[in-house]
Amino acid sequence: MSRLIIVSNRVAPISEGGPAAGGLAVGVYDALKETGGMWFGWSGDVLTSHPEGIKLEEHGPVTFATIGLVRRDYDQYYRGFSNATLWPAFHYRPDLIEFDRQEYDGYCRVNRWLAEQLAPLLRPDDVIWVHDYHLIPFAQALRALGVKNRIGFFLHIPFPAAQILLSVPRHRELVEALCAFDLLGFQTEPDLRAFCDYIETEAGGSLRRDGAKPVEVRAFGQTLRAAAYPIGVYPDEIAALAKDGESGRDVEIVKATLHHRKLVMSVDRLDYSKGLVERFRAFERLIEHDSRQRNNVSFLQIAPPTRSDVDAYRDMRFQLEAESGRINGRYAELDWTPIRYIHRQYERPVLAALFREAHVGLVTPLRDGMNLVAKEYVSAQDPDDPGVLVLSQFAGAARELTAALIVNPLDIDDMADALATALKMPLDERKARYGEMMQQLRENNVSVWRDNFLRDLKAGA
Ligand code: GDG
């Protein structure tokens, strides 16, 4: 059997069972254990001088191959072009794009350098699966080194409409680089359509569709295939984790301080794409318009920090602190704080158990490739007394979780109304919606996502 080589910006610290070990990491790691192989990427270390070489760690049939980045590479490749240019553009925020030619050059340089590090470790029949926007030029860089293996790419974030992508300087080079992969995977059909639209209207390429098979793309002198592969979770494992954690210390504390009030809950990295400010205002609108809700419901927002060295993230943190402070100042009572905003990370079992306690999961990104939190919230529910998911129409997950209450996150009243509906939804309706969503989550779990992608990647060989 050919080995699987996973390449991603960060290598998940599976061995530590750390917070990054979510659905994606677990799914990918499972595949690696079955076929044997390697997971290659940045170690997370920022160094003062170039590393001597790759650090290799064996865990059974899986090798973790990691390497540090020097400060300039980190600044240009990771903080700069990946997170201050591509991330806002791909999340439909051209107003937040910062572009610096040197950062772009650094992004391409680091991709070439990483490819040079990996190439000597490859065997001729290895199958290579590259993940996410940090590594768009990676296949092109490997090809330049003479690597002939099958190379696939999965984009975890949205692919923007052509008119948005045009606002990224050097967009044509980026799409040309994407065309060096053998298979491109997107989260949803609209992402795939946006890519195909760019190919036809901007790149002068052509497409061939053949039923349910991946679309054949011809552009920049390359032939490749592209399709949508919505990422999933392992719903039954999350359910078990949530049930196990029911009587844990953190859950007991939350229950004790709620005093039988209802709980609305959200968990997101602190990112402007997640719509946190709009969500805070929607909760405020709920308690503003319906005084009976006051002192009867609390909103818990857990938002672990990310990318705090990118300006837009710092600004957003200040804005959130101001909004939660303002709303609490206006409505809090001696025994009730409307919004509990916690800017830190929790262990995965604690989150799962808290999801199970929450009457409403409020997941309202302005744009999101998929949003695993929505899927995790549903998975964690008690089948006999499930909570209600309120979900943004702009999360990829909304295409599968159609039994959620779907909202427009830019419409504060729409979100407040959905919250009110969710808080008073009768048990029968909650169970019916939950049942429908769980069925969907089981049918398209993370193994299905991974197996479909790898089947198509290998089928083209
Ligand atoms: C990208 C795309 C796509 C969050 N806080 C804590 C914590 N988390 C976990 C969640 C979930 C994961 O992190 C976040 O996944 P999301 O899908 O919600 O969002 P992104 O990080 O933006 O991920 C996204 C995803 O890739 C996969 O393809 O769905 O659209 O943007 O698993 O539970 N985990 C722990 N503590 C926390 O405080 N342990």
Side-chain angles (χ1 to χ4, degrees):
M1 205 185 334
S2 57
R3 289 191 314 172
L4 177 62
I5 311 294
I6 299 289
V7 184
S8 61
N9 172 58
R10 281 297 303 275
V11 174
I14 288 279
S15 52
E16 297 155 30
L24 160 68
V26 175
V28 163
Y29 187 48
D30 274 2
L32 278 170
K33 279 193 288 195
E34 275 164 31
T35 57
M38 186 161 53
W39 193 333
F40 171 69
W42 176 35
S43 60
D45 297 326
V46 180
L47 310 171
T48 46
S49 60
H50 269 295
E52 299 282 314
I54 296 181
K55 182 174 158 211
L56 297 174
E57 258 180 285
E58 309 274 339
H59 286 269
V62 181
T63 305
F64 288 84
T66 53
I67 194 153
L69 289 177
V70 291
R71 168 63 58 186
R72 182 176 78 131
D73 288 352
Y74 168 85
D75 282 342
Q76 296 184 337
Y77 148 84
Y78 179 76
R79 188 191 52 71
F81 191 71
S82 294
N83 286 319
T85 308
L86 290 179
W87 180 272
F90 280 40
H91 288 86
Y92 289 76
R93 291 297 302 270
D95 56 313
L96 295 178
I97 291 177
E98 288 173 26
F99 179 76
D100 177 308
R101 204 176 276 180
Q102 286 181 346
E103 289 178 352
Y104 176 69
D105 292 344
Y107 173 80
C108 297
R109 184 186 65 243
V110 171
N111 267 269
R112 283 195 301 272
W113 178 73
L114 289 171
E116 282 160 15
Q117 304 304 310
L118 178 65
L121 304 178
L122 293 173
R123 297 177 194 161
D125 64 342
D126 284 344
V127 171
I128 305 167
W129 188 6
V130 179
H131 290 261
D132 235 0
Y133 58 102
H134 317 85
L135 298 167
I136 288 174
F138 199 76
Q140 207 175 36
L142 281 179
R143 297 284 182 233
L145 297 168
V147 172
K148 304 241 176 327
N149 302 51
R150 305 291 302 164
I151 315 179
F153 178 80
F154 185 77
L155 182 68
H156 289 264
I157 64 177
F159 192 88
Q163 285 305 313
I164 299 278
L165 187 53
L166 293 184
S167 55
V168 179
R170 319 293 274 269
H171 55 87
R172 203 178 157 83
E173 287 171 24
L174 289 168
V175 178
E176 181 172 0
L178 275 178
C179 291
F181 286 96
D182 294 301
L183 176 68
L184 298 179
F186 298 96
Q187 294 276 22
T188 65
E189 290 294 329
D191 298 311
L192 172 65
R193 276 203 299 276
F195 172 75
C196 290
D197 182 41
Y198 183 100
I199 290 294
E200 285 191 307
T201 60
E202 301 296 331
S206 64
L207 308 169
R208 208 180 65 177
R209 292 192 169 80
D210 178 9
K213 288 193 187 152
V215 180
E216 188 182 275
V217 178
R218 285 172 193 265
F220 302 104
Q222 310 275 3
T223 302
L224 61 148
R225 287 160 320 124
Y229 304 91
I231 193 170
V233 295
Y234 286 121
D236 294 306
E237 289 180 15
I238 295 171
L241 204 61
K243 195 164 188 322
D244 280 356
E246 256 175 340
S247 49
R249 186 177 159 271
D250 296 284
V251 176
E252 288 301 332
I253 290 173
V254 170
K255 272 199 222 166
T257 54
L258 274 175
H259 295 297
H260 303 291
R261 293 183 192 98
K262 290 200 168 171
L263 178 65
V264 173
M265 182 174 168
S266 304
V267 176
D268 314 75
R269 286 183 304 99
L270 188 72
D271 194 298
Y272 50 81
S273 65
K274 302 290 185 185
L276 279 81
V277 173
E278 292 77 2
R279 186 184 302 161
F280 281 20
R281 291 188 183 146
F283 186 75
E284 178 186 29
R285 191 69 52 90
L286 173 82
I287 53 180
E288 179 185 350
H289 282 184
D290 184 354
S291 55
R292 287 164 309 173
Q293 300 283 7
R294 290 182 209 158
N295 216 334
N296 277 320
V297 56
S298 281
F299 173 35
L300 171 63
Q301 171 72 63
I302 294 178
T306 44
R307 306 172 198 167
S308 32
D309 49 359
V310 177
D311 290 345
Y313 288 76
R314 263 195 302 262
D315 297 348
M316 134 121 225
R317 188 179 144 204
F318 293 141
Q319 202 187 353
L320 271 182
E321 284 168 0
E323 276 304 275
S324 55
R326 182 185 64 72
I327 297 166
N328 282 340
R330 190 168 165 200
Y331 291 102
E333 292 171 24
L334 288 176
D335 62 345
W336 174 61
T337 308
I339 299 182
R340 300 181 192 191
Y341 164 50
I342 305 180
H343 184 47
R344 55 169 271 209
Q345 183 168 284
Y346 281 85
E347 294 296 320
R348 202 169 156 69
V350 175
L351 286 186
L354 288 173
F355 282 151
R356 197 175 172 95
E357 276 311 304
H359 299 84
V360 182
L362 187 55
V363 184
T364 54
L366 304 176
R367 284 284 160 183
D368 219 324
M370 177 54 61
N371 196 300
L372 293 181
V373 170
K375 295 187 169 186
E376 291 162 359
Y377 173 76
V378 173
S379 306
Q381 294 311 299
D382 175 354
D384 296 325
D385 185 17
V388 181
L389 176 65
V390 175
L391 180 60
S392 162
Q393 68 186 81
F394 299 121
R399 299 183 62 80
E400 293 166 88
L401 301 179
T402 49
L405 294 180
I406 305 290
V407 294
N408 181 340
L410 297 170
D411 183 344
I412 306 295
D413 287 311
D414 188 27
M415 283 194 284
D417 289 350
L419 272 176
T421 306
L423 286 165
K424 61 172 191 271
M425 190 178 284
L427 181 62
D428 284 353
E429 185 178 348
R430 283 190 276 130
K431 278 185 173 172
R433 287 175 182 267
Y434 161 80
E436 204 177 315
M437 290 192 281
M438 273 306 264
Q439 189 183 344
Q440 172 64 36
L441 292 176
R442 287 186 176 119
E443 278 168 17
N444 187 40
N445 70 16
V446 75
S447 307
V448 174
W449 165 76
R450 172 193 79 202
D451 293 346
N452 287 347
F453 185 92
L454 291 176
R455 177 201 61 212
D456 289 348
L457 179 58
K458 290 175 188 162

